[in-house]
Amino acid sequence: IAFSQFLQEPLKIFLGVGLLLLFWVFFGSPSLNHVVILYGVSALLSLVIGSVALRKALTISIPDYTSLNRVFRQSLPFILISATSMLSSNIDKLMLGWLATAADVGIYTASAKVALMSNFLITSVAAGFAPRVSRLYANLEYEEIKVQYIRMAQLLGVIGFALLLCFVFFGRPILGLWGVEFVAGYGVLVVLSTGQFINLLTGASHVLLSYTGHERWLARLALIFLVLNVVLNFVLIHSYGVLGAALATGISYIFDSIVVISVVNRKTELTVRIMDFLKWNQGD
C-alpha cells in the first residue's frame, strides 16, 4: 500500500507538469480551462497506474470469523479522521470559491498543488512507520520509537526546507508554467510551502497517536482543527483574499503540529522536545 501511495502522488505531479510543459511547447501559455483538463488527465492516469501496482502487490483475505460490527466500531475514529482531513485539505478552496472569484480559486489551486506536492512523502512514511510503532510500543521500546521518529522528521524537514528555498527563489518561473496570470500566486506558494515545511517536520507525530491506541484523541483534534481552519479562512480571506487562504492553511498546520506533539507527550510514554529535531546523532 505504501508503495502504491508513493507511486501515485508523485506520478500525478510529474504527469501534470509534463503535460503542461508539452502544452506550453506546442500550443503556448495554457488557459485556466486547459490547466484543469490537464490536471484531471494526470490525476486519472496516476490513479490507474497506482491501482494496478496495488492490485499486483495486495493479497489480503478476510477470515470468516471477522465481526463487521466490531471492525466498524474500531474504524469510526479513523473514518472521522479521514473525513475531516479531506475537508480540511479542501476547505480553503471551497471558501475561496464562496468569498472570492473563480480566478482566485484557479491561482490558489495551482500554487497549492506546487507547494504541497510533497504530501505523498508524509503518506508514504506514515504507511511504513505505523506498523513499527505498534510493534515497538507493544514491546515497551519507547526510546527506539522516538529515535526512528526523530530521524524521519529530520529527513522530511530537510526535504521541506530545500523545497521552501526552491520556491522562494524559483517560484515565479515555476508558476509561470501554468500561464502568466498564475505568477500572482507567488505569495501563496511561499506561505504554503513554509507551512508544509512544518507539516513535513512533524507530520509523523499523527502516527504516534493513532498507532499507540490514542486514535480517538487524534479524531477529536482533527475535528477541532477543521473548525479552526474554517474560522481562519473566513476571517483572513475577507481581509487578504487568496493570501488569506494560504495564511489560514499555514497557521492551521503550525497549530496542529504543536498541539499533536503536546498530546503525544501527555498521553503516551514518549517525550518529544523541539530541541530533539536539532540533534543529528539520535541513538548514537
Side-chain angles (χ1 to χ4, degrees), residues 61-74:
S61 59
I62 301 177
D64 295 336
Y65 57 79
T66 299
S67 169
L68 294 181
N69 288 332
R70 181 184 175 191
V71 170
F72 180 74
R73 286 196 303 271
Q74 292 176 336

Side-chain angles (χ1 to χ4, degrees), residues 151-190:
R151 283 175 175 169
M152 283 190 298
Q154 289 171 336
L155 174 61
L156 292 177
V158 168
I159 294 173
F161 188 67
L163 288 173
L164 173 59
L165 291 179
C166 176
F167 296 145
V168 167
F169 291 106
F170 305 107
R172 288 185 176 88
I174 291 173
L175 290 174
L177 293 173
W178 272 260
V180 177
E181 62 270 28
F182 288 93
V183 177
Y186 173 76
V188 172
L189 176 61
V190 172

Side-chain angles (χ1 to χ4, degrees), residues 134-142:
S134 296
R135 184 178 67 254
L136 292 171
Y137 195 77
N139 294 332
L140 310 182
E141 298 182 50
Y142 307 130

Side-chain angles (χ1 to χ4, degrees), residues 199-259:
N199 191 31
L200 285 170
L201 186 62
T202 61
S205 58
H206 294 75
V207 175
L208 297 181
L209 274 185
S210 60
Y211 286 87
T212 55
H214 299 87
E215 63 276 2
R216 293 184 183 275
W217 264 101
L218 192 59
R220 294 176 194 137
L221 292 175
L223 186 58
I224 290 170
F225 283 110
L226 173 61
V227 175
L228 174 65
N229 208 351
V230 171
V231 173
L232 286 174
N233 271 283
F234 183 81
V235 172
L236 294 176
I237 288 173
H238 269 298
S239 300
Y240 302 104
V242 290
L243 187 59
L247 287 169
T249 301
I251 293 171
S252 296
Y253 278 157
I254 293 171
F255 271 95
D256 177 80
S257 301
I258 294 171
V259 173

Side-chain angles (χ1 to χ4, degrees), residues 137 142-143 145-146 208 212 264-265 268-272:
Y137 195 77
Y142 307 130
E143 189 60 30
I145 295 175
K146 178 180 173 180
L208 297 181
T212 55
V264 166
N265 289 337
T268 73
E269 291 77 4
L270 305 171
T271 303
V272 180

